Amino acid sequence: MPSNKSVSDAPIVQFTNCRILRDHQLQREDLWVREGKILNPEKLFFDEKGSADVQLDCKDSIIAPGFIDVQINGGFGVDFSLATDDFKSGIDLVSQKILSHGVTSFCPTLVTSPPSVYHQVLPQISVRNGGAHGAGVLGAHLEGPFISKEKKGAHPEHCLRTFEAGAFQDLLATYGSLDCVQIVTLAPEMRRSSEVIRELTKRGVCVSLGHSVANLSQAEEAVQHGATFITHLFNAMLPFHHRDPGIVGLLTSDKIPAGRRVFYGMISDGIHTNPAALRIAHRAHPKGLVLVTDAIAGMGLAPGRHTLGQQVVEIDGLNTYIAGTKTLSGSVATMDTCVRHFQEATGCSVETALEAASLHPAQLLGIEHKKGTLDYDSDADFLMLNDSLYVQATYIAGEEVWRQDVSGM
C-alpha cells in the first residue's frame, strides 16, 4: 500500500481534544486537515497508511464551520456603497477585521445607489478565497434599488427604481454587470418582477424578497419563479396579519415548490427584532433561519456620525438611525454577537445557533458541499470557540488566520 507521502507531500494536521460540529451534533472526534481540506481519517489510515505530521491540542474547544455573512454593508469606517478609487483596500480591511468575529466568507452588500455607483464599485469586487489576508468574498449582495417606496427603510428614495418594459435589460443597465453578483434583493409586488426573478435565477443569482409591501400570494408567486431568500425578516415589510401574513407567511406556506426551501435573514442584535419575534420565526421554520449582521461602516467604531451609501447615519450604543430620524439603518453588531444573542433569545442548542451562521447561509448559496460544514473533503474553514461561543481562533483552508490574544488576561 502507498504511504501518505505518495498521495501528497503536504503535511497532515490533527486537531485533538475538541468537540466537532458534524451532522448537526457536537461530536468528540479529532479533525484532520491536509491541503486546505478536511480529511477522512479512515481513508488516511487504511488506504494511505498515513498519520499526522502535526498534532494540535484544542484544549476542549468547540470546532465549528466558519461563519458566512451574506448581508454586510461595511465596517471599520468602510462603506461598500461608496464609490472610491481604492475600494479594494476597503474590502481588504473589512475582510481582515471580520476574521476576529469568526466570519470566513461574506457577501459585500450595497444598499440602493445611483447606477454610477454600481458601475464603479461592482467591477472592483472579485470573488476570491479567504486566507491570511482575510475572509473570502463570495460575491456582491445588491439590496435595491428595485424596492418599495413605502418600505424603503434607510434607502434613499431618489435612487429607487421600478421595472419598465424590458425589465431585465433595465436591471442590467442599472447594475452594469452581474459578473460578481451573488444575491439581489427586490420587491416582488413590482410589475414585471416575475420575469426578472426568472432571469436572475437562470443566471445563478439568488433572489431575495425585501423592502416590500407584497402580500402572501405575491411572495409565493415570486418563490415559484425562483426566489429563495427573505431579506431581514420582519424589517422593511408588511407586519404579520392573520388574514394576509405577507412575506412573513412564506415561513409556513404550503405553496413552496417540492424540494425547495425558503431561507430568511435575521438581524439578531437585540434591536432589529424583538426576542419574541426571533423565537416565533425560529420555531416556525428553524431550517431556514440565516443570521446576518447587516453591519454598516460604523461597526467597530465609536458612536457618532457615519455613512450608509447616500445617507448619514448616527450610532447611539447599538442603535443606528438615519441622522435626525428614528429610522433604523443597519446594525453595528458583529456575527459572533448575533450567534450568542440568537442562542440566548431562543434557548436553542449550541449546534443550532452555529448552523444558522454557517450551514444555512451555505445552503442558501448552494455551496454547502465546500463551505458551512466540516464534512470530509470540504474546505477547512473553521473556528475554535469556548462553551460561551466566544471565538478563540479562526482558520481558513486549515491555516490559523486569527487568534484571541490572551496575554495579560
Side-chain angles (χ1 to χ4, degrees):
M1 288 293 250
S3 77
N4 61 319
K5 293 303 175 195
S6 68
V7 175
S8 169
D9 284 334
I12 295 167
V13 182
Q14 177 188 8
F15 294 82
T16 66
N17 189 16
C18 52
R19 289 157 293 154
I20 300 175
L21 177 55
R22 186 175 279 152
D23 296 327
H24 317 296
Q25 293 290 323
L26 284 178
Q27 305 184 15
R28 196 159 273 291
E29 290 176 24
D30 292 352
L31 186 76
W32 298 74
V33 174
R34 176 172 64 197
E35 290 190 301
K37 301 284 183 190
I38 291 167
L39 278 185
N40 179 343
E42 285 195 6
K43 274 191 181 169
L44 177 67
F45 302 149
F46 297 115
D47 298 354
E48 302 182 28
K49 304 288 186 220
S51 57
D53 297 289
V54 181
Q55 283 189 324
L56 289 175
D57 182 348
C58 300
K59 302 186 170 67
D60 205 34
S61 296
I62 291 169
I63 291 192
F67 299 149
I68 299 169
D69 194 351
V70 300
Q71 187 175 7
I72 170 171
N73 310 290
F76 315 99
V78 175
D79 183 345
F80 296 146
S81 303
L82 280 187
T84 57
D85 291 334
D86 63 344
F87 184 84
K88 282 193 171 121
S89 63
I91 288 260
D92 291 346
L93 176 71
V94 174
S95 65
Q96 177 68 51
K97 293 275 198 180
I98 57 179
L99 295 174
S100 66
H101 308 158
V103 178
T104 53
S105 304
F106 71 109
C107 293
T109 304
L110 277 73
V111 295
T112 295
S113 303
S116 59
V117 169
Y118 298 114
H119 293 197
Q120 194 175 341
V121 166
L122 290 180
Q124 298 188 70
I125 296 177
S126 47
V127 174
R128 69 180 190 204
N129 292 326
H133 59 274
V137 177
L138 298 170
H141 177 171
L142 306 182
E143 189 187 357
F146 302 98
I147 57 172
S148 156
K149 192 161 69 171
E150 291 82 7
K151 291 291 176 187
K152 66 181 186 297
H155 292 237
E157 190 171 326
H158 70 278
C159 295
L160 299 182
R161 299 174 74 94
T162 53
F163 293 122
E164 305 307 326
F168 187 69
Q169 291 308 314
D170 188 29
L171 175 139
L172 279 179
T174 301
Y175 295 147
S177 165
L178 291 173
D179 287 351
C180 66
V181 175
Q182 184 72 254
I183 305 173
V184 169
T185 294
L186 53 77
E189 71 276 14
M190 283 191 167
R191 285 179 59 213
R192 306 185 182 91
S193 67
S194 294
E195 62 180 275
V196 171
I197 293 169
R198 279 197 303 268
E199 285 294 328
L200 285 169
T201 305
K202 206 190 289 180
R203 285 164 168 77
V205 176
C206 164
V207 175
S208 189
L209 311 179
H211 288 276
S212 161
V213 291
N215 59 34
L216 178 56
S217 67
Q218 288 167 326
E220 288 170 334
E221 190 185 335
V223 169
Q224 285 151 14
H225 288 300
T228 52
F229 195 38
I230 303 169
T231 296
H232 45 48
L233 187 78
F234 298 125
N235 289 284
M237 60 189 61
L238 291 178
F240 177 89
H241 188 280
H242 55 284
R243 276 194 292 279
D244 191 337
I247 290 177
V248 177
L250 288 175
L251 271 60
T252 55
S253 168
D254 57 1
K255 303 270 194 321
I256 307 299
R260 284 267 299 285
R261 187 187 306 178
V262 173
F263 293 89
Y264 59 96
M266 297 226 65
I267 310 167
S268 168
D269 61 355
I271 289 159
H272 278 78
T273 314
N274 184 284
L278 196 53
R279 287 191 285 274
I280 287 170
H282 177 244
R283 288 173 194 176
H285 184 29
K287 287 186 162 48
L289 194 148
V290 173
L291 292 177
V292 299
T293 60
D294 199 20
I296 63 168
M299 174 180 67
L301 301 181
R305 291 199 160 205
H306 302 282
T307 66
L308 177 60
Q310 311 295 302
Q311 312 265 47
V312 176
V313 299
E314 284 178 342
I315 298 177
D316 177 13
L318 277 178
N319 293 289
T320 61
Y321 302 112
I322 292 291
T325 75
K326 287 295 172 192
T327 301
L328 283 175
S329 57
S331 99
V332 288
T334 60
M335 183 58 92
D336 54 323
T337 304
C338 290
V339 170
R340 290 190 295 271
H341 179 261
F342 171 58
Q343 201 222 345
E344 199 179 308
T346 60
C348 71
S349 66
V350 163
E351 291 95 332
T352 297
L354 293 168
E355 287 188 342
S358 54
L359 176 62
H360 295 176
Q363 290 171 328
L364 164 72
L365 299 178
I367 57 172
E368 70 274 20
H369 58 290
K370 55 182 181 176
K371 306 275 186 199
T373 75
L374 298 178
D375 293 347
Y376 303 138
D377 297 324
S378 61
D379 294 350
D381 297 356
F382 58 89
L383 313 174
M384 285 186 196
L385 306 106
N386 65 17
D387 285 357
S388 304
L389 300 186
Y390 283 86
V391 179
Q392 297 170 316
T394 302
Y395 285 76
I396 293 181
E399 300 288 334
E400 183 181 293
V401 292
W402 180 84
R403 178 168 286 278
Q404 177 69 50
D405 179 13
V406 289
S407 61
M409 285 177 67

